[in-house]
Amino acid sequence: MSIIQQVTTASLSDNWRTINIDALDPESSSNFDTSTLHPAFAPVLENEARGIGQQVRQLLRGGDAEGALRGALESAPYGGDAVVKDIHLQTVTEVLQSIKASEMTPMLQRIFGSEGGGEALDVLMKYLYKGMAASSTAISKTPTRSSTLTPQSTGAGFSQMGGRPGAQSESSGAAMSVLLSWHEKVVDVAGLGCVGRCMTDWRKV
């Protein structure tokens, strides 16, 4: 008896949607590790990422904001784990926040016109999206007014609510504003192509 004869019409209509078609395809990514299609990156340790951050901050303190930004973008830790990548994201974000709005476009134009500048701005776009995702997550997790305010005794027989609602989300909102400003400037200088390259590049920051 064939398998079709063993299964009723009702059971076929119920179960056919549970079949994993990709598992039957020998060329499907389900049957091999797609990471083998790309060259492996050298591993980056946490102390190395922190060392890069210190070097970048030294450039900032020395007044070389452009060198700090370029150095941070050229040392993206593709071979690091999530902790290492988050450390470097903080470094890049700190550099971006330290640069004045009036200096953004001229600096981006100089970087874009230099050797490897297009690649650097593509990396910057990756960090902008990663930073915006982190900022939006932080804002969405901010406690509500009722959870952040606690009664405080005034000593006069009544209580008042302490804490300013939304205070915890202000830093995340400020960071988001800075990242959006940079996003606009990068698109103006490098064009929309950098957005597409950022989305399709398998090297993740």
Side-chain angles (χ1 to χ4, degrees), residues 65-89:
E66 183 175 337
L69 178 58
R70 180 132 196 175
L73 297 177
E74 291 178 349
S75 56
Y78 290 120
D81 58 14
V83 174
V84 170
K85 292 182 177 181
D86 285 342
I87 291 174
H88 200 72
L89 171 62

Side-chain angles (χ1 to χ4, degrees), residues 79-181:
D81 58 14
V83 174
V84 170
K85 292 182 177 181
D86 285 342
I87 291 174
H88 200 72
L89 171 62
Q90 294 174 2
T91 300
V92 174
T93 303
E94 184 175 337
V95 174
L96 296 177
Q97 291 176 329
S98 68
I99 298 173
K100 298 179 181 179
S102 59
E103 299 174 351
M104 290 180 181
T105 298
M107 185 178 298
L108 291 173
Q109 289 174 340
R110 290 193 298 270
I111 294 176
F112 186 65
S114 63
E115 182 179 358
E119 172 70 17
L121 294 193
D122 289 350
V123 175
L124 175 56
M125 185 62 74
K126 294 179 186 179
Y127 278 109
L128 293 177
Y129 282 121
K130 185 179 180 71
M132 285 188 283
S135 297
S136 62
T137 300
I139 293 174
S140 64
K141 291 183 179 180
T142 301
T144 60
R145 177 185 177 90
S146 60
S147 63
T148 57
L149 302 184
T150 56
Q152 298 178 353
S153 175
T154 63
F158 60 91
S159 298
Q160 65 180 7
M161 302 302 288
R164 183 160 50 88
Q168 295 183 6
S169 66
E170 286 185 355
S171 60
S172 298
M176 176 70 79
S177 177
V178 171
L179 296 174
L180 287 172
S181 297

Side-chain angles (χ1 to χ4, degrees), residues 13-32:
S13 63
D14 292 338
N15 298 330
W16 72 272
R17 295 179 184 273
T18 64
I19 299 175
N20 184 4
I21 301 299
D22 291 334
L24 305 178
D25 184 1
E27 298 183 358
S28 171
S29 60
S30 301
N31 296 318
F32 63 90

Side-chain angles (χ1 to χ4, degrees), residues 112 118-130 132 179-180 182-204:
F112 186 65
E119 172 70 17
L121 294 193
D122 289 350
V123 175
L124 175 56
M125 185 62 74
K126 294 179 186 179
Y127 278 109
L128 293 177
Y129 282 121
K130 185 179 180 71
M132 285 188 283
L179 296 174
L180 287 172
W182 276 100
H183 183 277
E184 178 185 1
K185 303 301 183 183
V186 172
V187 171
D188 287 343
V189 173
L192 288 173
C194 64
V195 176
R197 291 188 296 272
C198 165
M199 297 297 183
T200 58
D201 195 345
W202 59 273
R203 299 170 298 173
K204 304 301 181 184

Side-chain angles (χ1 to χ4, degrees), residues 37-85:
L37 299 176
H38 309 297
F41 291 108
V44 180
L45 303 179
E46 182 176 343
N47 59 347
E48 295 176 333
R50 296 191 184 279
I52 293 173
Q54 292 177 357
Q55 295 175 10
V56 170
R57 292 181 183 93
Q58 287 178 356
L59 291 173
L60 278 179
R61 288 191 293 267
D64 187 7
E66 183 175 337
L69 178 58
R70 180 132 196 175
L73 297 177
E74 291 178 349
S75 56
Y78 290 120
D81 58 14
V83 174
V84 170
K85 292 182 177 181

